[in-house]
């Protein structure tokens, strides 16, 4: 079963999800790029920041979710495209495509198990002296993910979710070494944000819009409710609310900004 993204649920924490994009973009020092691409643009609210920063550039947002692109089309000044970024990265000798001056991917590559091997192809789409910047979550050993995985391994859920998409990432040094070996200048770092959330089950609300969504959608109606009830209860234990109903959720993210060498095709 292919999961379907819900733009409204994703945007429930738009400010928290958007801050890493802004922090990533702050390290991209392009001045007057002509072509800017956002891979995995989601509902387009962050892609709009690219158009605002570089108003003379041709800005394109690409996402594999028709639902996300439908929501993004409300943002003006950007070209939107439904496409798999793996197809976009694939060399195409027939259709000559303009090199990209700034290529951005925010919280997307973690959904591709082979994304480390994909980085050279993505970099190949970038113009000499152009910029390739991406951010991926690095919190997959936190309870927000491990609890879901533990429940999903048990009967009666396992047979339904065995093949669902599960996000994963590498360490900052892994990305840095690969891009350094390709001749890039690399700035890689990590940040742990402390998100202060409120509501009855705020951590469940967060993960059910992103990392846990494929699992929840793959379960039949008769099992999904039981899974969610247990998941919510264990998340409440792992992330207890204080006396004022606030939950602090640590969220580690990994950032990489690479500037491509001059005149080198990778």
């Amino acid at each position: 079963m292919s999961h379907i993204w819900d733009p409204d649920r994703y945007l429930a924490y738009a400010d928290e999800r958007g801050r890493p994009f802004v922090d990533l973009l702050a390290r991209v020092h392009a001045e007057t790029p002509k072509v800017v691409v956002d891979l995995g643009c989601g509902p387009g609210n962050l892609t709009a920041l690219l158009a605002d920063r570089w108003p003379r550039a041709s800005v394109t947002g690409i996402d594999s979710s028709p639902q996300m692109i439908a929501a993004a089309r409300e943002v003006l000044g950007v070209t939107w495209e439904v496409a798999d970024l793996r197809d976009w990265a694939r060399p195409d000798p027939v259709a000559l495509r303009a090199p990209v001056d700034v290529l951005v991917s925010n919280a997307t590559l973690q959904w591709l198990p082979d994304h480390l091997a994909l980085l050279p192809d993505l970099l190949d789409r970038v113009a000499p002296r152009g910029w390739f910047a991406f951010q991926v979550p690095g919190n997959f050993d936190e309870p927000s993910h491990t609890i879901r995985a533990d429940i999903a391994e048990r009967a009666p859920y396992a047979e339904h979710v065995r093949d669902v998409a599960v996000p994963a990432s590498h360490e900052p040094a892994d990305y840095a070494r690969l891009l350094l070996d390709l001749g890039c200048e690399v700035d890689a770092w990590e940040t742990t944000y402390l998100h202060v959330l409120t509501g009855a089950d705020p951590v469940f609300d967060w993960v059910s819009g992103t990392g846990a969504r494929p699992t929840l959608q793959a379960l039949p109606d008769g099992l999904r409710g039981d899974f969610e009830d247990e998941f919510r209860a264990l998340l409440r234990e792992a992330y207890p609310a204080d006396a004022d109903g606030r939950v602090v959720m640590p969220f580690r993210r990994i950032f990489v900004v690479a500037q491509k060498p001059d005149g080198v095709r990778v």
Side-chain angles (χ1 to χ4, degrees):
M1 174 181 175
S2 178
H3 58 279
I4 299 173
W5 292 111
D6 182 340
D8 292 333
R9 180 177 286 270
Y10 182 84
L11 288 170
Y13 293 103
D15 289 345
E16 291 86 352
R17 298 191 202 281
R19 182 177 172 187
F21 185 90
V22 174
D23 291 345
L24 177 70
L25 204 59
R27 304 280 187 102
V28 177
H29 302 304
E31 295 181 359
T32 57
K34 295 180 180 179
V35 180
V36 177
V37 173
D38 183 3
L39 286 178
C41 63
N45 57 311
L46 298 177
T47 315
L49 300 180
L50 302 176
D52 290 342
R53 178 170 173 180
W54 295 297
R56 296 185 179 181
S58 170
V59 179
T60 301
I62 298 172
D63 202 284
S64 62
S65 167
Q67 292 78 19
M68 288 292 196
I69 292 296
R73 294 194 190 281
E74 297 182 9
V75 179
L76 302 179
V78 177
T79 299
W80 305 105
E81 180 181 344
V82 177
D84 188 308
L85 69 83
R86 289 166 292 194
D87 295 332
W88 182 89
R90 191 169 293 125
D92 188 349
V94 177
L96 298 178
R97 296 176 288 191
V100 178
D101 298 302
V102 177
L103 177 60
V104 178
S105 183
N106 183 63
T108 296
L109 294 176
Q110 73 275 7
W111 289 105
L112 305 177
D114 60 345
H115 71 262
L116 196 65
L118 185 65
L119 295 187
D121 286 339
L122 291 173
L123 187 64
D124 200 36
R125 295 295 312 276
V126 177
R129 304 306 298 167
W131 298 82
F132 177 29
F134 62 90
Q135 177 269 127
V136 291
N139 66 332
F140 300 115
D141 58 352
E142 291 292 323
S144 54
H145 289 274
T146 59
I147 291 173
R148 180 212 58 80
D150 290 344
I151 300 173
E153 288 178 354
R154 305 200 307 261
Y157 310 117
E159 64 178 297
H160 301 284
V161 302
R162 188 173 293 113
D163 298 322
V164 300
V166 176
S169 62
H170 300 274
E171 291 300 306
D174 297 325
Y175 298 117
R177 291 190 190 98
L178 187 152
L179 291 166
L180 285 168
D181 288 344
L182 293 172
C184 294
E185 298 175 21
V186 179
D187 182 7
W189 73 98
E190 63 180 71
T191 297
T192 297
Y193 298 89
L194 297 178
H195 296 304
V196 179
L197 310 178
T198 58
D201 290 297
V203 178
F204 175 83
D205 291 342
W206 180 295
V207 299
S208 63
T210 51
R213 186 169 179 81
T215 298
L216 297 176
Q217 285 197 320
L219 291 167
D221 293 341
L223 291 178
R224 187 180 302 114
D226 293 340
F227 188 103
E228 290 184 351
D229 288 345
E230 184 173 1
F231 195 14
R232 288 175 190 269
L234 291 173
L235 286 174
R236 285 195 294 268
E237 292 180 11
Y239 300 92
D242 64 16
D244 294 316
R246 297 170 300 200
V247 173
V248 177
M249 182 183 73
F251 199 124
R252 175 178 179 247
R253 292 185 183 270
I254 296 166
F255 300 80
V256 181
V257 174
Q259 186 172 26
K260 188 173 176 177
D262 189 13
V264 177
R265 184 176 177 83
V266 299

